[in-house]
Amino acid sequence: MENIKNSRRNFLKTSAVASFGLALGISGFTKDASLKKISAAILKLEINPFIIIDTAGNITLVNPRPDMGQGSTQAVPSLLAEELEVSLNKVLIVQSDGNGKYGSQTSGGSSSVRELWLPIRKAGAAAREMLTTTAAKRWNVPVSECRAEDGKIVHTTGKSLTYGELADDASKLEIPKEPKLKEAKDFKIIGKYNQRLDVPERVTGKAIYGIDVDVPGMVYASILHSPAIHGKVVSIDDSETKKVKGVLQVIKTERTMPHRTSEAVAVVATNCWAALKGKKALKVKWDNAGYEKSLNNADYFAATTEAAGKPGINFEEKGDFSAKFAAAKEKLEANYETPFLAHAPIEPENAIAHVKDDGSVEIWAPVQGPDWTLRDVCGYLKVKPEQVKINVALLGGAFGRKAYHDFVLEACHISKQVKKPVKVIWSREDDISQGPYRPGMLSHMQGFVDKGKITGFHHHTIGESIARQVFKGLKEDEADSWIGGELSIENSKYQFDAASKVSWTNVKTDIPVVWWRSVYASNFGWGQECFIDELAHLAKKDPLKARLEILPDERFQKVLNTLAEKANWDEKLPEGSGKGIAVFKSFGSISACCITVTKKDQGVRIDKVVSVIDCGYYVNPDNVKAQTEGNIIMGLTAAIKDGITFTNGICDQTNFHQYNILRLNETPKMEVHIVDSGSVPGGVGEPGLPPIAPALGNAVFAATGKRIRKLPFDINNLG
């Protein structure tokens, strides 16, 4: 709780009083580093965390990536501890607060390790060199006779000095620009199984999540949103609400999203239960005119299907695909559809905001990025960054949802009116029925084969653009560049001898969208890998061999061959059973999956899932496997459970009884295997998901002969 209640500024102030020692910023190591660029409207975010070593020898890492379950509070300090030659339990974690000097602070895009791999290690190595140099000077011995070991610098004679004893003098040295990093063969922490030091508090309930945070003098707000999301308030009848003990006020408020602002009504009370009870008693008349059409699944997907019959905007093309497709003798064409999906993190959206009379603002919230939160709060309240303090708690899941700050801005709006710290907690119904969602997408696929080989391939991606709706960064005549992150030849490595093409059509909607675990890769992996399977069968080729033919890249080959071995791809299966495979690269990692199914009554049973991932260098293999297992569960859920649908402007799903997730008794056997390629680190939290649905679809075809092209589908009744 101390880390939540004490600000980063207070921490630094307290540390300074205790004799600061060595404070090492690493911005010098990250020049020109940035997250993926999707348009000029997207900010370039540089990584810039800090390492602090005080005179008592305490080592503090300002962690720039909030932990939402992906393990950043283990992974990031592991990089530092490795180079500093200390054990993990000697590194104290303090979460960054959004201050610009810490650079990029958003957990997303599976970026924590792959973006911090060199900067954090270089910072640790630089600190080690500075401490070693300081000790050598004190002893008047060559640096080569000194080594770092367990928080000390040790001389060949056995004498030693602790980091704390050296910190002040070391801080006066110039920071080495290119410190020598440890070689992989010398790693003691990175790549090894290490106990997660953060797990005991989480499983015993001692860990503090956003929903647990308490601030003196705060009140609670429960918000009634329009069933049609963007509906307007016509009238409010709060007569019954005000009879509820503990209710203080009923106020009209607003929900500010990147693409528009919607009206809402908040019940403010002395406690959470009173606010909820008051909300249930509230009667609001809404004007939902016009949203029956703009918030409608059937109309949206009808528009995507219509777009499939027209040319899209080219993102990439090799050869004249249209001409060669027209002339091809053996060809296929099909549409693959993926639904809107809610994130549904276990901890729903919540935030505490205190907008004070002096213009200062303090936020306590489980957000994926304090830097983006700071930006959004400043823009919304028209205040300066130095007036805002962001306190980030642990996140009880997010999957992209908690980098969308509508719930934080709601708390700000209400606090400004009631002039108190206000805690807003969304209900599960709010979370599922209000969005934002993974966009529903259509993949219009075309391809052809020649002499038993897949030689032509076109992926026409169709749907709403996150870049357009969230960032307003997409022109009408340009393709969404995020599709290239997964489907370009440079990324996918598929080589088609005759022609290939990736195109885009933006079908707009008022349904709010944002990234969802693995972003577009979960949409487009379905179309790409199922259609590759279709073309393989058209070519009368084994689906694995057909892929190996058009994937000359060594890493892809190793992943697929490892999958074939671990999943026993060539084994003869009994009638009614089948295996399906898929491979996809996203966020710098290659993941492949093989799923085995067996006919059961009118459907199939999922028997086993084998996943193989090449994520380059990684920190902890146990975490890689855990994240991949999570991707398997979420990928299967997205394939066979409920999607989000809208009828007459209103979301049809409100809670887990209508938006089901895979249950324990439905979970198949799982195996995860890691390919140690020694490549630069890729992501782990998301890449394991995209191959799951297509591997399942291909397995269903292998077992039943039925080709599934629309998600979700009923695995118990294939029709």
Side-chain angles (χ1 to χ4, degrees), residues 80-134:
L80 172 62
E82 183 68 76
E83 296 293 346
L84 267 183
E85 297 288 4
V86 296
S87 58
L88 272 172
N89 59 10
K90 291 192 175 180
V91 180
L92 172 69
I93 305 296
V94 175
Q95 182 58 52
S96 64
D97 62 1
N99 191 305
K101 66 183 178 182
Y102 302 127
S104 172
Q105 297 157 65
T106 297
S107 289
S110 293
S111 63
S112 294
V113 170
R114 65 192 184 114
E115 296 285 352
L116 298 177
W117 174 256
L118 285 177
I120 292 288
R121 288 181 59 214
K122 282 187 173 183
R128 184 186 72 233
E129 286 190 10
M130 294 162 75
L131 293 163
T132 304
T133 299
T134 301

Side-chain angles (χ1 to χ4, degrees), residues 254-554:
E254 61 187 25
R255 177 189 176 198
T256 300
M257 294 168 276
H259 69 300
R260 64 182 304 159
T261 296
S262 298
E263 296 181 353
V265 182
V267 176
V268 182
T270 57
N271 61 80
C272 183
W273 295 114
L276 285 170
K277 189 174 180 180
K279 174 184 172 181
K280 289 182 180 179
L282 192 64
K283 296 176 182 177
V284 177
K285 185 177 180 182
W286 302 95
D287 177 7
N288 298 323
Y291 296 115
E292 295 88 348
K293 183 79 174 174
S294 61
L295 300 175
N296 189 293
N297 256 61
D299 289 343
Y300 174 79
F301 281 108
T304 63
T305 301
E306 182 182 352
K310 302 174 183 178
I313 300 169
N314 267 18
F315 175 81
E316 175 182 274
E317 185 169 17
K318 171 194 167 187
D320 187 339
F321 180 85
S322 296
K324 292 187 177 181
F325 181 76
K329 294 179 180 178
E330 294 183 281
K331 56 188 174 183
L332 288 175
E333 190 166 5
N335 288 338
Y336 279 85
E337 184 181 306
T338 52
F340 291 91
L341 291 175
H343 302 75
I346 293 299
E347 176 199 35
E349 294 69 50
N350 64 89
I352 301 172
H354 191 187
V355 181
K356 304 173 187 177
D357 291 337
D358 63 3
S360 63
V361 184
E362 187 161 10
I363 305 291
W364 298 261
V367 290
Q368 287 180 231
D371 50 344
W372 286 16
T373 307
L374 180 68
R375 175 201 66 192
D376 289 350
V377 169
C378 288
Y380 181 67
L381 294 175
K382 309 302 180 190
V383 295
K384 298 177 181 178
E386 55 267 27
Q387 294 177 277
V388 182
K389 189 164 123 185
I390 307 291
N391 305 281
V392 182
L394 287 172
L395 290 73
F399 312 115
R401 174 61 180 92
K402 291 172 184 171
Y404 191 96
H405 302 127
D406 51 343
F407 60 100
V408 177
L409 302 185
E410 282 183 331
C412 289
H413 187 265
I414 299 168
S415 175
K416 190 174 182 179
Q417 293 187 71
V418 303
K419 301 184 183 305
K420 292 179 182 179
V422 174
K423 185 169 191 174
V424 167
I425 303 176
W426 278 34
S427 67
R428 178 61 60 197
E429 287 77 10
D430 289 327
D431 173 59
I432 290 178
S433 67
Q434 292 291 312
Y437 307 102
R438 181 190 79 170
M441 304 293 286
L442 190 76
S443 289
H444 176 60
M445 312 300 306
Q446 294 176 304
F448 53 88
V449 303
D450 183 36
K451 298 177 182 178
K453 184 180 181 181
I454 303 170
T455 55
F457 195 82
H458 174 208
H459 194 152
H460 182 185
T461 58
I462 306 166
E464 180 56 288
S465 165
I466 297 168
R468 184 201 73 83
Q469 194 189 90
V470 177
F471 294 107
K472 301 177 178 63
L474 185 69
K475 297 176 182 177
E476 293 291 335
D477 61 350
E478 72 174 332
D480 188 328
S481 62
W482 270 8
I483 63 176
E486 288 91 22
L487 302 180
S488 67
I489 292 175
E490 179 184 358
N491 185 74
S492 73
K493 302 301 182 184
Y494 277 123
Q495 300 293 321
F496 303 101
D497 294 342
S500 63
K501 183 178 177 180
V502 177
S503 60
W504 160 263
T505 297
N506 187 188
V507 173
K508 300 172 185 176
T509 179
D510 277 329
I511 298 172
V513 299
V514 77
W515 40 74
W516 185 89
R517 193 174 191 173
S518 79
V519 198
Y520 288 145
S522 67
N523 299 97
F524 300 147
W526 169 244
Q528 172 181 290
E529 288 302 297
C530 286
F531 196 64
I532 288 286
D533 212 70
E534 286 203 60
L535 291 172
H537 285 282
L538 178 64
K540 297 181 174 57
K541 275 274 175 68
D542 172 87
L544 172 66
K545 292 177 181 177
R547 285 174 171 82
L548 290 171
E549 263 190 341
I550 56 176
L551 274 172
D553 181 83
E554 289 184 9

